[in-house]
Amino acid sequence: MSDEVNQEVDLMYGLKTVLSQIEAAVARRSKDLPQVAPRLVAVSKLKPASMIVEAYEGGQRHFGENYVNELADKASDTIILEKCKEIKWHFIGHLQTNKINKLLGSPGLFMVETVDSEKLADNLNKHWLKFRKDEERLKIMVQVNTSAEEAKNGIEPSQSTKLVEHILKSCLNLEFVGLMTIGQYDYDMSKGPNPDFLTLVKCRQEVCENLKLDINQVELSMGMSTDFEHAIELGATTVRVGSNIFGARPLKLKTN
């Protein structure tokens, strides 16, 4: 899709459609699952500030970015700072240690969804002291590699309890809010429930049982544009949707 066509995306129609699909998926969700209203994170990767402002003015508050530089640039954009005062940024990409300060210094940072090691947790815990307001803790999720793909980041499911326990006991500046997975792309749902989503649900069950946590207080971030409805039916409390709202991604940002 060309940039010219991409700019003609009916963003408000896409946003309203996704919100309606979320509502319908919630109605199909098992009553045995925690009845948490799912949070929509609009993934604005490679999209201009003008589209973020448009989505914000349409009522969207949570936005996700995969790259630290892009999140930092958009979070500091004068138009977004002026027009999107309650924006909440989610970092959903792989976080390198040398980019931590840049990420944590971004205005409106709400959550880091991709903590996948004790080392990263410790570094976030240490550096957050420089940026936090009052006694505010940094919200984080633990990323789990549910598909066992080498190209994907995240801890092995069997290590979930150990990492969450470390965060709860040793990272007092962090607020553990849940588990996140990317999972395999283009899963054929005619084969039954997505095993990656089921694995994350099982991880939460084990973490809550092992650490005596309230399952209603532990979120699951799973599901993207192609499978967010299915993810909600299986218990997702956060879904990350980009192209269904913003249209297909351009190859690069327009410079004019």
Side-chain angles (χ1 to χ4, degrees):
M1 183 182 285
S2 70
D3 283 353
E4 287 73 16
V5 174
N6 191 57
Q7 294 306 305
E8 294 168 11
V9 165
D10 188 341
L11 191 152
M12 292 316 302
Y13 174 78
L15 183 58
K16 286 176 182 174
T17 300
V18 169
L19 290 171
S20 295
Q21 290 170 318
I22 287 174
E23 197 174 333
V26 167
R28 298 190 297 269
R29 183 173 61 184
S30 167
K31 296 297 181 269
D32 295 331
L33 290 165
Q35 298 302 299
V36 179
R39 175 195 294 121
L40 170 61
V41 174
V43 181
S44 43
K45 187 163 76 170
L46 299 181
K47 298 299 179 181
S50 59
M51 294 184 86
I52 293 169
V53 171
E54 186 181 349
Y56 183 93
E57 290 177 345
Q60 181 62 24
R61 291 293 179 268
H62 294 267
F63 292 82
E65 290 290 341
N66 289 66
Y67 300 106
V68 171
N69 289 349
E70 192 168 357
L71 188 152
D73 289 348
K74 288 175 178 173
S76 302
D77 186 283
T78 52
I79 295 173
I80 290 177
L81 285 172
E82 178 190 341
K83 296 191 173 183
C84 310
K85 296 192 185 300
E86 295 177 8
I87 197 165
K88 295 175 170 63
W89 291 105
H90 293 239
F91 184 69
I92 57 174
H94 178 57
L95 180 55
Q96 296 170 308
T97 306
N98 63 347
K99 295 285 182 72
I100 285 177
N101 281 333
K102 187 166 192 175
L103 176 65
L104 297 186
S106 301
L109 179 68
F110 180 74
M111 187 185 298
V112 178
E113 293 197 19
T114 48
V115 176
D116 60 0
S117 68
E118 291 186 6
K119 179 185 175 186
L120 180 55
D122 289 341
N123 273 300
L124 286 169
N125 185 63
K126 180 176 74 173
H127 290 283
W128 181 239
L129 287 170
K130 291 181 281 189
F131 301 98
R132 72 176 183 179
K133 302 174 184 67
D134 302 319
E135 296 300 307
E136 177 191 16
R137 292 185 294 162
L138 174 67
K139 290 180 172 61
I140 63 101
M141 286 189 176
V142 165
Q143 182 177 2
V144 183
N145 185 348
T146 53
S147 56
E149 295 173 81
E150 286 188 14
K152 297 259 171 52
N153 295 300
I155 58 164
E156 292 180 15
S158 63
Q159 298 299 306
S160 300
T161 294
K162 184 172 180 284
L163 180 51
V164 173
E165 184 175 30
H166 174 80
I167 291 164
L168 293 174
K169 289 185 174 178
S170 304
C171 302
L172 302 184
N173 301 315
L174 306 183
E175 179 185 353
F176 168 71
V177 297
L179 304 174
M180 176 265 207
T181 192
I182 294 174
Q184 59 180 301
Y185 297 115
D186 299 323
Y187 171 73
D188 181 0
M189 283 181 281
S190 69
K191 295 178 180 177
N194 188 322
D196 293 325
F197 297 164
L198 293 179
T199 296
L200 200 68
V201 171
K202 185 182 177 189
C203 276
R204 175 173 65 178
Q205 186 76 36
E206 291 175 354
V207 166
C208 290
E209 287 175 0
N210 292 335
L211 302 177
K212 305 293 188 287
L213 302 178
D214 179 357
I215 199 167
N216 294 288
Q217 301 298 318
V218 179
E219 299 187 29
L220 295 180
S221 176
M222 59 188 194
M224 298 186 281
S225 284
T226 57
D227 54 15
F228 68 92
E229 294 167 275
H230 179 56
I232 289 170
E233 290 172 29
L234 294 180
T237 61
T238 290
V239 291
R240 311 177 303 271
V241 181
S243 56
N244 290 27
I245 298 170
F246 294 106
R249 291 183 191 131
L251 294 176
K252 61 181 179 179
L253 283 169
K254 294 182 74 174
T255 54
N256 58 2

